[in-house]
Amino acid sequence: MKIVFPAIRWHAVVPEVSYARGREEEIATATAGPSLDDQHPWPGLAPYDEASKEWFQGRDNEAESFVSLIVAHAVVSLYGKSGLGKSSLLQAGAFPRLRVRGFLPVYARLDFTASISPSDQLLRLLLGAADASGIERVEPAPGEGLWEYLHRPDFELWTPDNHLCTPVLVLDQFEEAFSRGGGAQSLMPLFKSLGDLIENRIPSAIASDKHLLESLDVFRCRYRIVLAFREDYLPDMRAWEPRLPSLLRQWMRLLPMKREAAVSSVERAGHAVIAEGVADSIVNFVASRAGGGDFDATVEPVMLSLCCTRLNRRRLPGQLIDGELLRAAGPDIIDDFYAEAMQGLPDNVHRFVEDHLVQGRSRGSYARDEAIEQGFIDAAQLERLTSVHRLLRVDPQGDVLRIELIHDRLVEVVRQQHERRRVREEDEAARCASAERFRRQVALATVIGSVFVALVVIVLSVYAFNQARSAQAARSAAERAEATAKQALAKANAAAALAKQQLAQRTVLTSNGWYAGDDPKQLDDAIKANEAIIRMLNSSTPADRARRLATTVQIFPKNIDQPRVTKAMGELGFDAKLATPKITNGPTNAVFFGSGSNIEDVKLVVLALIRSGLVVRTIQPIPIDVPGSKSSLIQTGANLDAIDRPPYTTDEVVQARAFTGASRALER
C-alpha cells in the first residue's frame, strides 16, 4: 500500500558538482544557496538551502510527514511539477529534521555524463558530508565501491557527541538521468548499479567472489535513499518499476501551496521588511485565482518567492514593503521576469510562447514532443525555460506531456508582447513598403533623366548638322551641342546624386524607427535631428557616456508607436526600460525629465523621437511630488493636455537653454 501525505512546494536551481575539487568544497557548492537574513529573507528563483531553514516557513507539517516516510522506509520518491520546490523541501525542510533524528543527509545532484560513475560520485559525496559534519567514519579500501563500503561489518558513522547516525543519500533532480543520460539502453548500467542500492541486492561481481562475499554484512541495510524528480518524468520512472519495485513504493507528490499557508509563510519570513497586512495583498497578487477571501486559491511558490524578492529589492532603506509599493512595482515584476527569461532566445521561441501558450486571456498548452519536432523550441531551450528560469513547465495531461506557462499571472504579459510584436511587424512592413516606393521613384527619375539627356544630344546634333553649311560651321555647332549636352548631363547627374542622398537619408531614418509618411517639412526636420544627434554623439566625452549610462529612460508603450520609440532609443547609450502605460489612447507626444537629468540628455531623447517621425508637443520637468522627480530619469509618453500645442522643431530643441513645458519664449 502506498503512503501519501499532504504536499508542498518551493523551487531550486543547484550548481553542478565538480569532482576535481575537495570533498568539503563539493558539498558546499552543491547545496549552497543565496545568503539570507531578516532584511533579505527570500531567495528568488534559487532554492532554500539548509542554512536558510529559518526563513523557509509555512511547511512544518509537510516536512514532518516527508521525514516520517524517510525514517520508516529505505527508499522514498518525491515528485512534483516544475517550480514546486522539491529542493527547498529537501534541504531546508527535511535535512535539519533528519539530523535531529540521527540521520546524515547527503545531497547529490549527479552528473550522468561524467567519466566517474554515479556510485563513485555518491561515495565521495558521502565521505565529504561526513567529514564536513565532523563525523567519525572508516576509510574506504582502495578500489572499494559504494555498495561494498555500506555493507562492511565495521561501517558506522559516529557524531561528535557519540551518537550513531544513518546516511540518507538524496538524489535530487533525478530526471536528468533521462534528459542527459541517453536512451533506455544506455541507462541500463546506471539503473543496475543504483538498483543494487535501492533494492539492497548483492551485485553480481560480489556474488561471484566467495571470499569478498563472506567479508561483507550483505543482509543489513544501514542507509536510506531519496529520489526527487519532476512530475513529467514519472512515466519514465514507472518504466523501470518492474525491475526496481522499490522505486515508487513509497512516494510523496508536491502540490501547490494553499493561500492561507502562503500568507503565513510571507508574514513569518518577512516579519522585518513587510508592513502589517500586506502579506495578504501579496498573496492575492500572486494567487492563481486572485481576490481577497478566496481561501481555495493556490499559489505557485516560485512566483511568490520571485515577487517578494523583487519587492524587497525596490524598497528604500528604512522603509517597509507596503501596499503602495506593491501597486507601483507589482506589474513590472512580472514584465521583468518574462523579459529576463526570454532574453537571448531566438525569434521562433518567442513566437511559440506568444502564439501557442496563450489563448485569448487564458493559458494554453502545447504537446511537448510536437513542439520539438516542429522546430518551435529545442530540448535545451525548453530545459532553460523550465528548470532555470521557471517560466514554463511540462504538465502530464492524460497520456500527453504538454508545455504551459507556469502561472496565470504571465498571460497578460505574454499577450501584450504578442500584440506589440504584431504592431511592430506591421510597422516594419509599412516602413519597408515606403522605402521601396521611394527607391522606385529614385530609379524612375534616374531613367527619365538619362533619356532626357540622350534626346537633347540627338536633337542638338541634328540641329547642328542642318545648320552647318560648311565643315567649320558643323564643327562649331557640334562643339556647342556637346557643351550643352555636358551641361544637361551634369544637371541629370546632380539630380540623381540628390535623389541618392535623399534615399540614404530616408534609409538612416528608417533604421531609427522612421515611419511618418512623406511630409517634406517633417522629413527635413527629421534629417536635421539626425545630423544634430550625430554631432552630439561624436562630441561626447567619457563623462557624457557614463552619465547617459546612469540615466534611465522609461518608455511608456502604446500600440500605435511603441516599436518606433523603442528603436529610437536603441543606441543612444541610456538605460532604456519599458514601463506600464497609464495612457493608451494617445500617441507619444511628451517628454518628462527629473531634476537630476542633464539638459543635453533630454535634447538627445527628444531629437531621437523627432528623427523617428514622432511629434513632440511638450517637454517639461517631472512634478516635484512624483517619485523619480529628483533622479536622472527621462520619460517618453503621452500628454492629452498637449494635443493642440504646436510641435517642437529640431532648431527649437537644439537652441533651447531650458524646458519649462509652458512658454517657448522662456526656453531660449
Side-chain angles (χ1 to χ4, degrees):
M1 180 180 68
K2 296 179 179 177
I3 300 177
V4 185
F5 289 96
I8 56 173
R9 65 236 213 81
W10 283 100
H11 66 284
V13 179
V14 182
E16 294 183 342
V17 177
S18 170
Y19 292 96
R21 296 194 295 267
R23 294 171 184 162
E24 292 80 5
E25 187 178 352
E26 288 176 352
I27 299 300
T29 302
T31 59
S35 179
L36 304 185
D37 55 41
D38 281 344
Q39 294 298 311
H40 308 86
W42 298 286
L45 291 177
Y48 288 89
D49 59 13
E50 190 170 359
S52 306
K53 61 183 180 181
E54 180 180 347
W55 296 277
F56 181 66
Q57 295 291 340
R59 291 298 177 264
D60 293 342
N61 293 336
E62 292 87 344
E64 286 289 345
S65 298
F66 184 55
V67 168
S68 296
L69 275 177
I70 298 173
V71 172
H73 303 282
V75 181
V76 178
S77 289
L78 173 70
Y79 66 87
K81 294 179 182 179
S82 176
L84 297 189
K86 298 175 291 296
S87 295
S88 292
L89 173 64
L90 291 171
Q91 297 182 74
F95 283 11
R97 291 172 170 83
L98 286 171
R99 293 185 191 278
V100 172
R101 288 168 171 80
F103 290 86
L104 172 66
V106 180
Y107 183 89
R109 181 177 175 184
L110 299 177
D111 183 353
F112 297 101
T113 63
S115 57
I116 182 173
S117 71
S119 293
D120 287 342
Q121 293 179 42
L122 283 172
L123 176 57
R124 298 186 67 171
L125 290 170
L126 168 60
L127 300 177
D131 292 347
S133 298
I135 289 177
E136 181 182 340
R137 60 172 177 80
V138 294
E139 192 70 25
E144 188 172 47
L146 177 62
W147 198 95
E148 298 166 68
Y149 182 69
L150 292 172
H151 290 83
R152 286 172 52 156
D154 60 345
F155 171 72
E156 290 180 342
L157 300 178
W158 290 94
T159 64
D161 55 354
N162 207 32
H163 286 85
L164 192 64
C165 65
T166 302
V168 181
L169 306 178
V170 179
L171 283 59
D172 195 12
Q173 301 190 41
F174 192 71
E175 70 273 3
E176 292 178 351
F178 303 98
S179 64
R180 302 185 184 183
Q185 195 61 35
S186 63
L187 290 174
M188 287 292 292
L190 166 67
F191 276 92
K192 187 178 185 303
S193 62
L194 290 180
D196 292 337
L197 280 173
I198 291 171
E199 300 299 330
N200 195 30
R201 64 193 177 200
I202 304 173
S204 56
I206 296 176
S208 62
D209 187 334
K210 183 178 179 180
H211 178 72
L212 177 58
L213 186 62
E214 291 177 348
S215 68
L216 299 175
D217 186 354
V218 297
F219 297 106
R220 292 180 63 188
C221 181
R222 292 171 288 182
Y223 58 89
R224 299 285 190 274
I225 293 180
V226 173
L227 300 169
F229 55 91
R230 281 188 357 217
E231 185 170 322
D232 47 304
Y233 284 88
L234 183 58
D236 299 276
M237 295 291 286
R238 290 203 182 282
W240 287 95
E241 204 170 7
R243 292 185 177 92
L244 303 173
S246 299
L247 198 62
L248 295 170
R249 187 170 289 154
Q250 306 296 334
W251 49 267
M252 176 182 281
R253 182 191 183 199
L254 303 190
L255 298 174
M257 183 187 297
K258 292 293 185 180
R259 180 186 178 282
E260 186 176 8
V263 173
S264 174
S265 172
V266 174
E267 287 177 339
R268 291 163 64 185
H271 64 90
V273 295
I274 290 185
E276 185 177 355
V278 176
D280 192 75
S281 299
I282 293 174
V283 172
N284 283 344
F285 175 79
V286 178
S288 298
R289 298 191 299 276
D294 185 359
F295 288 94
D296 292 329
T298 58
V299 179
E300 300 286 353
V302 63
M303 297 299 293
L304 185 63
S305 181
L306 174 72
C307 180
C308 290
T309 300
R310 299 208 175 194
L311 285 172
N312 197 35
R313 289 177 186 171
R314 297 194 183 197
R315 69 181 177 89
L316 297 176
Q319 294 186 352
L320 299 176
I321 299 173
D322 54 18
E324 182 179 351
L325 178 60
L326 177 62
R327 287 188 293 273
D332 291 341
I333 288 174
I334 309 300
D335 288 340
D336 292 347
F337 170 57
Y338 180 78
E340 289 175 12
M342 298 296 290
Q343 185 176 10
L345 289 172
D347 186 61
N348 62 289
V349 179
H350 287 259
R351 289 180 179 274
F352 169 65
V353 174
E354 295 164 13
D355 294 349
H356 296 289
L357 300 187
V358 170
Q359 297 177 349
R361 295 187 179 274
S362 302
R363 271 190 291 181
S365 65
Y366 206 91
R368 182 194 66 180
D369 294 344
E370 289 183 18
I372 294 175
E373 289 172 4
Q374 294 167 0
F376 292 151
I377 191 170
D378 63 32
Q381 293 161 348
L382 182 59
E383 181 72 12
R384 166 184 166 174
L385 292 178
T386 54
S387 294
V388 178
H389 293 290
R390 301 289 200 271
L391 178 71
L392 307 179
R393 67 181 173 202
V394 180
D395 187 21
Q397 298 178 14
D399 296 330
V400 179
L401 298 176
R402 302 186 69 85
I403 304 171
E404 66 179 11
L405 292 169
I406 198 168
H407 199 276
D408 289 330
R409 272 282 174 186
L410 290 159
V411 170
E412 184 61 21
V413 174
V414 177
R415 193 187 66 78
Q416 289 179 1
Q417 288 295 329
H418 176 275
E419 183 63 18
R420 289 168 186 166
R421 175 167 58 81
R422 182 189 64 78
V423 173
R424 186 168 60 250
E425 289 173 350
E426 291 177 355
D427 205 12
E428 187 68 25
R431 285 199 300 271
C432 291
S434 176
E436 178 63 17
R437 287 196 303 272
F438 190 73
R439 186 192 66 77
R440 290 178 180 177
Q441 291 171 0
V442 171
L444 180 60
T446 303
V447 171
I448 292 173
S450 300
V451 171
F452 173 75
V453 170
L455 289 175
V456 169
V457 171
I458 293 171
V459 171
L460 290 176
S461 297
V462 171
Y463 177 79
F465 177 79
N466 291 332
Q467 294 296 319
R469 293 178 180 273
S470 64
Q472 183 63 38
R475 283 195 296 273
S476 298
E479 289 173 357
R480 289 195 299 273
E482 182 180 2
T484 303
K486 287 181 178 179
Q487 291 177 356
L489 181 61
K491 291 181 179 179
N493 288 337
L498 178 60
K500 186 176 181 180
Q501 179 187 11
Q502 291 175 340
L503 177 61
Q505 291 171 336
R506 179 67 70 90
T507 301
V508 169
L509 297 183
T510 300
S511 68
N512 287 281
W514 171 270
Y515 179 59
D518 298 313
D519 182 348
K521 292 180 64 177
Q522 192 174 9
L523 185 63
D524 182 62
D525 209 33
I527 292 170
K528 286 184 179 180
N530 181 63
E531 294 170 350
I533 290 172
I534 292 174
R535 288 196 303 271
M536 294 175 71
L537 294 180
N538 287 341
S539 63
S540 294
T541 66
D544 293 330
R545 291 190 288 272
R547 185 189 67 242
R548 286 197 291 269
L549 186 62
T551 298
T552 298
V553 174
Q554 278 187 337
I555 300 169
F556 291 86
K558 295 143 185 66
N559 290 338
I560 190 173
D561 56 37
Q562 181 267 323
R564 277 189 285 163
V565 178
T566 305
K567 201 166 188 178
M569 298 298 116
E571 298 181 359
L572 300 183
F574 295 109
D575 180 19
K577 294 182 177 178
L578 290 178
T580 303
K582 296 177 175 59
I583 298 175
T584 58
N585 59 346
T588 299
N589 68 349
V591 172
F592 305 90
F593 56 92
S595 60
S597 301
N598 185 280
I599 188 173
E600 295 302 312
D601 295 341
V602 176
K603 289 182 179 182
L604 197 57
V605 170
V606 176
L607 291 171
L609 295 177
I610 295 175
R611 179 174 65 179
S612 69
L614 290 164
V615 176
V616 180
R617 300 184 185 276
T618 181
I619 310 169
Q620 62 188 71
I622 298 174
I624 194 66
D625 57 343
V626 175
S629 61
K630 297 182 180 180
S631 63
S632 299
L633 174 66
I634 304 175
Q635 300 175 324
T636 66
N639 185 346
L640 299 181
D641 295 333
I643 290 177
D644 296 327
R645 295 184 188 180
Y648 275 86
T649 66
T650 295
D651 291 338
E652 286 177 325
V653 174
V654 171
Q655 297 170 12
R657 296 180 180 178
F659 296 107
T660 64
S663 172
R664 302 287 175 87
L666 298 176
E667 296 177 353
R668 296 194 174 188

